[in-house]
Amino acid sequence: VLDKPTNLQVTFDEAAAASKLTWNAPSNAAGITGYQVSWGSTTKTTEDCSYTFAEGDLSGGQSYTFTVTAVG
């Protein structure tokens, strides 16, 4: 069983005008092939410890709860 990623942080890159979610890999990261990033009814996948939100992924004035799950 893979441990959970830790230290989730959302930042805003003004130059790219995009928000980015980053995290630390679990301590038992061997065998991880990627991550699932979920919020609301949306799930996206990424191979590294970050996800940059595309235009339309998030709406202004809303609160979001993000879940990151290691896949292996």
Side-chain angles (χ1 to χ4, degrees), residues 16-35:
S19 294
K20 185 174 186 176
L21 178 66
T22 59
W23 56 89
N24 294 341
S27 57
N28 62 343
I32 291 177
T33 57
Y35 297 90

Side-chain angles (χ1 to χ4, degrees), residues 1-2 14 16 18 20 24 26 28 36 39 43 46 48-49 55 59 68 72:
V1 175
L2 296 170
E14 290 186 34
K20 185 174 186 176
N24 294 341
N28 62 343
Q36 289 184 329
W39 65 97
T43 299
T46 183
D48 54 13
C49 291
E55 186 174 340
S59 297
V68 177

